[in-house]
Amino acid sequence: MPKTFDRRDSAESPDSAAEGTPDAHGSPLRDKRRLHALERSGLLGGVANPVLDRVARLTAGILGVPIALVSLVDDQRQHFPGLAGLGGWAGTQRGTTLSHSFCQHVVTSNEALVVSDASSHPSLRDHLAFKDLGVVAYAGVPLRTERGETLGALCAIDVRPVQWTTAQIALLEDLSALAMAEIEMRALAHDLSQEQSRYTAQADRDTLTGLLNRRGFAAISRARYALALQGGTPFSIVSVSLNGFRHVNAQYGDDFGDHALIDIAALLTTVVQSGDVVARRGSDEFTLMIAEPRGTPHTDIESAINGALAVLNAEIGRELVLEASVGVARWSPDRSQALTAVMQCADDAMVRQKRQRHAGRAA
């Protein structure tokens, strides 16, 4: 049954009548699951939704009132993604703070709220919804998700007293179902978008090391190259390959080899700066894209990698000594090299170093 406020309810206000079931913070308005459901809708912060605007117009027309709102209530504000007839600053902003909200009491009580005449009510005539917005008569019903979270209210408002009927409240309930269908659809679209983003992110990542994979590096390096062309910012491509790694799995086992690759991935992320790109492009091959924002060559990245490898190899009890061949190629705006050409130069330099080290051992 809706809570009704008329001139006889002199001892009560929406605050005293709409306690609801508090969460750990003391108020249903701050319930985390409810707030998450609101965020999933994407309808906060002054967003206008044409479907919900239509529901508001239908509500105003069917009930014969000048104002109707689809109001979503968080822990600080009420938001009107659907509205009809509301002018002034509240209509322009499509929302107000809770100081001007009757709808918050629909959320806290989880039931309909009916006010026939706020002007004659000892408590409500001082409410800012009446004083600033001219809300004299109010009827609001919960906007409730299938999981039971009350997100706000569909409300009908008049600037004159109204004796609301049971039939009108029933119509509000039916119309609120239309509004919730749109809100739930928006939430579902949000979830699908998030899932797609997670899938895309996973597709661009190496499952073992967490670094970008070949696909992820290709996408990001192209974008960075375009920015470098536009801003004339030099960068370096670094190719890294572990020496003799094909024998590791055979000698120590696959798990040991996986841990070695994870160690190398972590090592490479420590020798770059924030914003640089590190990727695993092959089984034991890694590529770095290093920006040079000050127009000067980056710190000797080969020395940094070999120094970090020396520290790693010096760990007590380490069974495997890891070595790497490193090739570096630099792009600058005074050279018209394509990104693929720079990457090939880095790969060639890495291969030359690998061959030289192999020849040195053979000698």
Side-chain angles (χ1 to χ4, degrees):
M1 293 293 293
K3 180 62 185 177
T4 303
F5 290 91
D6 58 30
R7 66 186 64 198
R8 294 171 296 177
D9 296 320
S10 58
E12 292 185 299
S13 71
D15 295 305
S16 63
E19 295 174 352
T21 302
D23 67 347
H25 299 286
S27 170
L29 294 177
R30 293 190 291 272
D31 180 76
K32 291 182 178 179
R33 191 176 70 171
R34 194 188 75 85
L35 292 174
H36 177 64
L38 283 168
E39 290 293 336
R40 288 172 57 230
S41 74
L43 294 170
L44 306 182
V47 172
N49 179 276
V51 175
L52 297 180
D53 277 343
R54 179 172 292 182
V55 171
R57 290 194 298 270
L58 282 171
T59 301
I62 292 173
L63 272 66
V65 294
I67 300 170
L69 303 171
V70 177
S71 175
L72 299 180
V73 181
D74 61 23
D75 57 343
Q76 297 184 36
R77 294 182 61 83
Q78 59 179 351
H79 310 260
F80 307 145
L83 65 81
L86 182 66
W89 60 269
T92 300
Q93 295 178 12
R94 282 187 174 260
T96 75
T97 60
L98 295 185
S99 61
H100 293 73
S101 174
F102 280 168
C103 294
Q104 66 174 305
H105 305 298
V106 175
V107 175
T108 55
S109 68
N110 197 26
E111 63 180 12
L113 173 65
V114 176
V115 177
S116 296
D117 185 2
S119 66
S120 63
H121 193 283
S123 298
L124 299 184
R125 65 190 177 197
D126 291 325
H127 199 289
L128 293 183
F130 168 68
K131 295 175 68 174
D132 292 351
L133 303 180
V135 179
V136 175
Y138 173 96
V141 299
L143 292 170
R144 192 179 294 115
T145 69
E146 292 183 355
R147 296 190 302 180
E149 301 107 348
T150 299
L151 305 186
L154 172 65
C155 62
I157 295 170
D158 208 323
V159 296
R160 299 174 299 178
V162 173
Q163 294 300 317
W164 303 101
T165 68
T166 302
Q168 287 177 310
I169 304 304
L171 283 169
L172 271 178
E173 295 280 2
D174 289 340
L175 291 165
S176 72
L178 293 178
M180 277 310 304
E182 172 66 12
I183 294 169
E184 294 269 37
M185 187 177 71
R186 290 293 300 266
L188 177 59
H190 170 273
D191 291 346
L192 290 174
S193 176
Q194 291 290 97
E195 187 64 27
Q196 179 63 36
S197 297
R198 283 192 292 270
Y199 173 79
T200 301
Q202 291 170 357
D204 288 343
R205 291 282 171 181
D206 175 53
T207 56
L208 176 65
T209 64
L211 298 179
L212 291 170
N213 57 22
R214 182 182 294 272
R215 166 181 161 164
F217 180 80
I220 290 183
S221 62
R222 284 195 298 266
R224 296 289 180 89
Y225 179 66
L227 290 174
L229 286 174
Q230 185 177 11
T233 306
F235 64 85
S236 292
I237 295 292
V238 183
S239 290
V240 180
S241 177
L242 297 181
N243 296 333
F245 192 75
R246 66 180 181 273
H247 303 298
V248 170
N249 288 340
Q251 183 174 354
Y252 296 96
D254 292 341
D255 289 343
F256 192 92
D258 286 348
H259 284 296
L261 290 170
I262 292 171
D263 287 342
I264 291 297
L267 178 151
L268 292 176
T269 60
T270 66
V271 299
V272 298
Q273 298 177 0
S274 175
D276 291 338
V277 182
V278 183
R280 182 188 178 198
R281 292 177 61 208
S283 61
D284 64 343
E285 295 181 353
F286 300 82
T287 302
L288 291 64
M289 187 175 191
I290 300 173
E292 300 172 12
R294 293 171 296 280
T296 58
H298 197 278
T299 302
D300 188 346
I301 190 66
E302 182 177 353
S303 296
I305 292 172
N306 287 327
L309 269 173
V311 173
L312 180 66
N313 288 328
E315 290 182 355
I316 296 176
R318 189 168 188 85
E319 298 180 51
L320 178 66
V321 174
L322 296 173
E323 294 182 351
S325 295
V326 181
V328 182
R330 185 171 184 265
W331 180 91
S332 60
D334 58 341
R335 302 177 65 187
S336 58
Q337 280 184 300
L339 176 61
T340 53
V342 183
M343 293 178 63
Q344 187 61 56
C345 287
D347 285 344
D348 290 345
M350 178 269 293
V351 170
R352 284 197 300 271
Q353 186 178 104
K354 187 181 286 285
R355 288 173 176 169
Q356 289 169 359
R357 289 186 174 182
H358 181 72
R361 290 191 183 93

